[in-house]
Amino acid sequence: MNTTAQPALNATHDPALRSWVASSRHDATDFPIQNLPFCVFRRAGSGQALRIGVAIGAHIVDIDAAAGEGALAGLDPAVRHAIVGQASLNALMALGPQAWSALRLALSGLLREGAPPLPAVLVAQADADYALPARIGDYTDFYTSIHHASAVGKLFRPDEPLLPNYKWVPIGYHGRASSIGVSGQCFPRPRGQTRAPGAVAPDFGPCKRLDYEMEIGIFIGAGNAPGEPIDIGQAEQAVFGLCLLNDWSARDLQAWEYQPLGPFLSKNFASTISPWVVTLEALAPYRAAWTRDGADPQPLPYLDAPQVRSAGAFDITLEVAIETAAMRGAGTPPARVSLSNFRHSYWTVSQLVAHHTVNGCNLQAGDLLGSGTQSGPTAAEAGSLLELTAGGKQTIRVAGETRTFLEDGDSVVMRGWAEAPGRPRIGFGEVRGTVLPALGAGT
Ligand code: CA
């Protein structure tokens, strides 16, 4: 049991480690040997069974192929059974941190320079089709950026932007798992009820204020039994890893429906995650102290612990870019519209897990928690168009075009990466999603 205040570093984090996979040695790669994130994939167009993969440079280690080559023979049989012939990460997630760590060490050993190269187990990422990395039983979305909560609250409730519970309770709601898709997801613009300002009755039709939300997704590992809360000191051991999450949001539906029970159809039509899950162990060198302003309420004891204060935050840079249909046609790369960082979060991952379970609620392997939109303290760090356009009152530039909210054909591309002095940069790849015209559009 890890009781130290700082996440432990080990041989797999050594900045001097290099892999025999040449593409992993480029400074620009998201996937040096120190990262080793997991996905579920198959070779595109192959009809292969889905299988687990591990990123290295521009390639994927095909776990089933590695097992076929005898490369995983040294693993504990329970770990091998949880990853070979598996179409999801759930069985591995359920094994817990000791197994994850043993697997990471073994993969690092297989891939490092000096080990016998195994080119037959590699698939180019460009040749892969990805699936959701886990069967997501339940999805909960939090609201951990005080900058986002304040800015959105000002638009929805000018007289009381930040409700009094915000600084005491990690605010969240139960979302919908069925409509979560992996990067590449395309979905029709949602339709629903909206009410124009001053109108008595709502209209029905396609959403006019479609937005994205830049979030971190948190995959639960072993979870907890019903009635047995996860202590804040052990909370990170219940987390398998992090991914990128775009929590698409229909702002006009949201404004009409959200009281008194919170978001519903404005959120549950689509949510998109990156194929890659970066483990907490990989992120250990990129942690940051978590602080709470002395003028604000300090967390209740069940949400506080020395390791929360010393290294509870994650220093992960988050970028949002938009690619319009015209840009795609012209081959123009996605244009950045904001840049923020997960370290600004008002609540930590560990606090979310401790809070979610404190009433006895059980989390299960593969459950997904969303961090909430990660807006930073300045306007340029806003993680949604709602904030960047001041509620649609001003436009932003996207290459040669302007936007208030998303238009049909727009793709949103989010990226995330972590850096630390003297260490390689590690990344999350990207999460991309595209808005299609509403069903029955024009009728
Ligand atoms: Ca959200």
Side-chain angles (χ1 to χ4, degrees), residues 139 141-143 148 173 212-215 245-249 251 254 263 267 370-374:
Y139 164 49
D141 199 23
F142 284 93
Y143 199 49
H148 174 73
Y173 69 96
Y212 58 78
E213 291 191 334
M214 176 177 65
E215 304 196 15
L245 164 64
N246 182 350
D247 182 29
W248 305 93
S249 298
R251 300 302 182 192
Q254 186 179 356
K267 300 282 190 173
S371 65
T373 309
Q374 293 303 301

